[in-house]
């Protein structure tokens, strides 16, 4: 399911009439005072896609910009940390990981009443369908996936010390920390019993791997539609939506992305499940993992079933949070958010199927 951080896709624009609309008269002088060269704010349009952090397209005399803000209302602890997004993208400037230029981070006392940041607008392509129907052919489809793979490998090779991100995560077993966090978040957002989810939580707790010492910067939501590609070539212009980024285990990103191969295409997730990937020139999950391992100098990845099951669980917990916000009236796109309740059941069911197959 798409997130609002995919907001650079102009086709997703819609003028917002709700409580999420921004006060242009108050915002304009603030931006002129805090962003060098900013002048003449002419229009604010809210991207209609997404749930997590409402995102807006700004048109000004000085150019085009993107503003990403916390949502209004009561928020779960540690969620919607737009300041973390700003920090990590600012730190990645000049590395092998492409990101938009960060222009300004506000405080909570901003003119819109909540924290936001402004970044440059990048005019490129966002692929919402992982089968890439808009690609020129099999060669371009294969190249797009390879570019995505190369960017992930580059991300996990970032020197976090040199980037000033040594304190961007906590020490210890990443999967234990994440399991505790998302189990807590899931229960805090729970709206009813999902037996498959309870079973997955119990299985993960008893199959937690020992810490192998691997630590890298991880994106946390690495997928095709969180990237901007150049208009005329299979080149990654930027990786977006870093809200869930931290220092953690690199295999978490890889497994999270590889869920795409297993999620049904005929669902809100628009995965690759049920697609004839070979005919379209798309890599298999095994080939994609092998390419990543070659780039990272790895012989292979053991315990793959755990990493995948954990990814299904984590995404299900995230979806549950979105669903709960929809019920509470705080979602950026309430109508769409309600479909996330069914997504929790789908994801938990896929995880159970994986567990049963590999037990």
């Amino acid at each position: 399911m798409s997130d609002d951080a995919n907001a650079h896709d102009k086709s997703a624009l819609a003028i917002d009439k709700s409580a999420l609309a921004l006060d242009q008269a108050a915002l304009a002088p603030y931006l002129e005072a805090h962003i060098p060269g900013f002048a003449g704010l002419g229009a604010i349009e809210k991207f209609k896609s997404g749930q997590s952090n409402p995102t807006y397209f700004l048109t000004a005399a000085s150019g085009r910009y993107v503003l990403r803000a916390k949502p209004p209302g009561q928020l779960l602890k540690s969620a919607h940390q737009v300041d973390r997004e700003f920090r990590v993208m600012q730190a990645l400037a000049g590395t092998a990981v492409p990101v938009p230029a960060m222009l300004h981070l506000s405080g909570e006392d901003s003119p819109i009443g909540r924290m936001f940041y402004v970044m440059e607008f990048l005019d490129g392509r966002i692929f919402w369908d992982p089968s890439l129907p808009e690609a020129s052919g099999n060669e371009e489809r294969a190249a797009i996936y390879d570019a995505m793979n190369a960017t992930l490998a580059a991300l996990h090779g970032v020197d976090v010390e040199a980037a000033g991100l040594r304190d961007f995560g906590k020490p210890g077993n990443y999967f234990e920390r994440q399991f505790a966090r998302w189990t807590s978040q899931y229960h805090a957002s729970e709206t009813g019993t999902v037996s498959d989810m309870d079973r997955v939580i119990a299985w993960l707790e008893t199959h937690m791997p020992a810490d192998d010492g691997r630590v890298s910067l991880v994106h946390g939501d690495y997928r095709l539609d969180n990237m901007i590609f150049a208009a005329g070539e299979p080149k990654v212009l930027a990786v977006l939506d870093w809200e869930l980024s931290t220092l953690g285990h690199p295999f978490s990103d890889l497994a999270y992305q590889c869920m795409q191969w297993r999620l049904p295409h005929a669902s809100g997730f628009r995965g690759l499940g049920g697609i004839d990937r070979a005919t379209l020139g798309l890599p298999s999950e095994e080939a994609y993992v092998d390419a990543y391992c070659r780039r990272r100098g790895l012989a292979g990845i053991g315990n793959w079933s755990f990493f995948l099951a954990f990814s299904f669980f984590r995404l299900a917990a995230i979806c549950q949070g979105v669903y709960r916000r929809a019920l509470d009236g705080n979602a950026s796109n309430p109508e769409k958010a309600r479909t996330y309740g069914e997504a929790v059941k789908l994801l938990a069911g896929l995880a159970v199927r994986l567990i049963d197959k590999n037990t």
Side-chain angles (χ1 to χ4, degrees), residues 68 81-95 97-102 105 117 119 155 158-160 163-169 216-220 239-247 253:
R68 184 157 159 88
Q81 296 180 315
V82 296
D83 51 333
R84 283 181 67 84
E85 286 192 290
F86 182 89
R87 179 187 172 188
V88 70
M89 284 190 281
Q90 188 176 57
L92 288 171
T95 71
V97 182
V99 291
M102 296 293 103
L105 173 67
Y117 66 85
M119 58 185 169
L155 166 62
V158 167
D159 184 334
V160 294
L165 295 172
R166 184 179 62 175
D167 62 343
F168 201 61
S216 73
L217 179 62
V218 295
H219 181 274
V239 180
L240 306 175
D241 193 0
W242 293 83
E243 181 188 352
L244 300 176
S245 61
T246 187
L247 298 186
D253 269 347

Side-chain angles (χ1 to χ4, degrees), residues 235-316:
K235 176 184 177 181
V236 180
L237 294 181
V239 180
L240 306 175
D241 193 0
W242 293 83
E243 181 188 352
L244 300 176
S245 61
T246 187
L247 298 186
H249 201 293
F251 295 168
S252 63
D253 269 347
L254 182 63
Y256 184 87
Q257 188 184 5
C258 285
M259 281 194 304
Q260 194 79 67
W261 275 259
R262 297 162 184 263
L263 292 168
H265 189 263
S267 72
F269 290 103
R270 298 296 293 274
L272 291 172
I275 296 292
D276 187 346
R277 297 184 289 275
T279 298
L280 293 175
L282 302 175
S284 67
E285 178 185 306
E286 182 180 7
Y288 192 85
V289 172
D290 286 347
Y292 171 87
C293 288
R294 286 195 301 272
R295 287 185 162 110
R296 296 293 297 146
L298 303 173
I301 298 177
N303 211 12
W304 186 236
S305 294
F306 173 87
F307 301 133
L308 283 173
F310 177 85
S311 295
F312 280 117
F313 151 75
R314 180 173 168 274
L315 182 55

